[in-house]
Amino acid sequence: MAAKVLHAIYNDDDLVLQAVKQIKEKNYHILEVFSPFPIHGLDKAMGLAPTRLAITSFLYGLTGLTVAILMMNFMMIEDWPQNIGGKPSFTFYDNMPTFIPIMFELTVFFGAHLMVITFYMRSKIWPFKEAENPDVRTTDDHFLIEVEVANHSEEALVKFLNETGASEVKLID
Amino acid sequence: MYKLSGKVKLISIILIVIGALGIGYGFLTAPSTLDEAKEILAAEHSGHGGSHEAESSHSKEAEGHHSEMNAEGHSAHGEQAAETHHSEEAHGEDHHSEHVLHQLQTKPWAATFVAGFFFLMIALGVLAFYAIQYVAQVGWSPVLFRVMEGITSYVLPGSIIVLLIVLFAGEHFYPWQNHELVAEDKILQGKSGYLNFPFFVIRAIIYVIGWNLYRYFAVRNSRALATASNYGPYKKNFKYSVFFLLFFILTESMMAWDWFMSMTPHWYSTLFAWYIFATMIVSALTVIAITTIILKKAGYLPFVNDSHLHDVAKFMFGFSVFWTYLWFGQFMLIWYANIPEEVTYFTIRIQEYNLLFFGMLVINFVFPILILMNSDFKRIPWFVIIAGCFILVGHYIDVYLLVMPSTVGLHWSFGVTEIAAVLFFLGLFMLVVGSGLGKAPLKIKNNPFLKESENYHY
């Protein structure tokens, strides 16, 4: 059974924000909102859970730091401790200031890149991915709210969406 | 309108009195003759117990003493002693105890200076931050302007006290003021065009007058704005702030060279002045945050919300990292190149102040970064207060480590005088800032960014 959905199109981001709140109030189910640019406060209005991307980044950063420490400890201290310009290569601690720039950069490198890759994976974006845009105008100047009809009355829902300021309401089977 | 409560006033006056007594005790118990100094040293050695044997402690002292570039009167006294004694051994010993005597006499001066400068630098950092807010036309912070103005009221008394200490400390702090020493020292002679007493005094007075003038006019305009019918006072403050920031970056750098770097006149570092500025601004933001939290809790700042706190805490976090960056930038470059004339500065700090030197790094970097990393924690007053306490203690140690190794060398301790000096200036700070906050309503009026600031939400 293909679920019926309605596409309500709006011309203004303020209207979208207001409409989302109204639709939520009536307990209709919003599947997705498409917008050409970020609308401040939309995630809160839709009740989306906050992102945990920052936490993953912190953990990736720690991973990078660990990699840097283990790598340099093995190469410079354990494997072949040479006297290079009189730098004390007896223990990691002795020679630590030389390692700090690399430790810092690898922390940032891991934190940044792995977080970006996580973002791509979680939002399912990759090259040659087929665009999932329901209406081309939503990348330019229109906003679209996708509402599930479910077991509500279709006419009442269309009427309600028009009242929230939608310029067009389309039924998609 | 805030009014300094009688309880706070009483506490701060008690702190001032206790502090003053303690500082007086420090100056009175400082040894005035060689014999007294030797007695104190003997007591210290026996007091150290098993961990520090007198023998090893002595040899360490001798070593540190020679590696230290700031051996005040080192060669001059040495020469005199050699003339009178004609004996190498006697010369070494006598010269050593004279050096020790000098350092012990310097201790109460240094303790007072560390605490005095610590509180001055908080007020001064707030003043610089306040000017930055005007120049950058910041939209979030105007609701905190009165808090900042209140804290900067300490600039006047604080700068005068520090100025007096710096001018009267003389050879206690600044070996280049010893004419005999300069006469024998090519390096100091080469620097005497800058490091000479009259010019030093003139410079110090210019800094203090400049800072206080800006503070006076900025606060006056800010108060005039409340009753003004146009934005005249605001525009004036914008202009004054631009020129003050230019003046400040120059005078702050020169102040750092004059008051701190010239304690070790053979040593120099290019980013030293910015390093001191970083210490200054991070402590200043911490005090803004703590004062705001206290006033808000007492119900004086209903228009300040947790987004404002979040922003101040972000600055505390950011500048803590910035401070660490400069600390490491200075340390690593000198450690890496290991040029003897530069590295002495860190040698004494690592050998004799090891725990403080590296402990400070943990307190000033690791704790703030872990406590203030989370966005939610930055909105919780108690988290900010805890992080703030770490930062303030850490930066007190930072100033301590700028001054003590260069002035008292190995004979440092954290005793009555040091604590008393902190209490004295804390009491003074509370009293002055408290009455400064009470001079005008805590809510500004007519600032063009006030509305934005009140509705600020992050």
Side-chain angles (χ1 to χ4, degrees), chain B residues 124-312:
Chain B
L124 214 51
V126 174
L127 195 64
F129 188 71
Y130 180 74
I132 292 170
Q133 302 305 297
Y134 265 103
V135 173
Q137 307 195 348
V138 175
W140 66 272
S141 62
V143 290
L144 299 178
F145 275 1
R146 284 281 193 261
V147 176
M148 297 185 208
E149 287 165 13
I151 298 171
T152 55
S153 58
Y154 183 75
V155 170
L156 182 64
S159 60
I160 289 172
I161 294 173
V162 169
L163 179 71
L164 291 179
I165 297 175
V166 165
L167 295 190
F168 286 99
E171 289 172 38
H172 284 300
F173 287 171
Y174 307 113
W176 51 266
Q177 290 183 12
N178 182 335
H179 295 295
E180 294 168 35
L181 188 63
V182 175
E184 292 181 12
D185 194 319
K186 276 257 163 58
I187 297 175
L188 292 190
Q189 281 165 19
K191 294 187 180 187
S192 61
Y194 186 79
L195 290 181
N196 61 69
F197 192 65
F199 191 29
F200 178 81
V201 175
I202 293 168
R203 284 194 310 261
I205 290 175
I206 289 175
Y207 312 152
V208 168
I209 289 179
W211 301 335
N212 280 300
L213 276 183
Y214 170 70
R215 199 266 160 188
Y216 175 77
F217 284 110
V219 170
R220 201 177 68 163
N221 281 329
S222 166
R223 285 178 193 160
L225 193 62
T227 52
S229 53
N230 57 14
Y231 285 140
Y234 176 80
K235 287 180 184 163
K236 264 191 205 161
N237 250 8
F238 178 85
K239 241 184 268 172
Y240 292 169
S241 301
V242 171
F243 288 111
F244 171 69
L245 285 176
L246 283 173
F247 176 80
F248 183 74
I249 197 67
L250 285 175
T251 51
E252 193 275 334
S253 307
M254 291 170 74
M255 177 274 283
W257 307 332
D258 284 2
W259 297 357
F260 292 94
M261 213 154 82
S262 81
M263 286 175 172
T264 48
H266 282 190
W267 181 80
Y268 50 84
S269 163
T270 323
L271 61 69
F272 191 75
W274 314 330
Y275 170 70
I276 290 191
F277 174 72
T279 300
M280 196 179 261
I281 195 88
V282 68
S283 327
L285 278 154
T286 307
V287 171
I288 294 177
I290 292 177
T291 317
T292 308
I293 290 171
I294 293 172
L295 288 175
K296 167 122 180 109
K297 197 146 198 317
Y300 290 106
L301 299 172
F303 42 89
V304 172
N305 58 39
D306 62 353
S307 293
H308 296 111
L309 183 63
H310 185 254
D311 263 30
V312 180

Side-chain angles (χ1 to χ4, degrees), chain B residues 72-89:
Chain B
E72 300 98 331
H74 178 158
S75 34
H77 291 310
E79 280 298 311
Q80 283 177 342
E83 276 169 29
T84 44
H85 290 288
H86 301 285
S87 141
E88 277 298 309
E89 266 173 51

Side-chain angles (χ1 to χ4, degrees), chain A residues 40 44 58 87-88 93-98 100-101, chain B residues 328 331-332 335-338 354 358 370 373 457-458:
Chain A
H40 189 72
K44 271 211 181 107
F58 180 70
K87 285 282 159 288
Y93 171 79
D94 273 329
N95 211 359
M96 182 134 154
T98 33
I100 285 196
Chain B
F328 183 68
F331 173 73
M332 195 262 226
W335 176 89
Y336 208 112
N338 203 15
N354 196 294
F358 292 108
L370 291 180
M373 172 107 66
H457 173 78
Y458 171 74

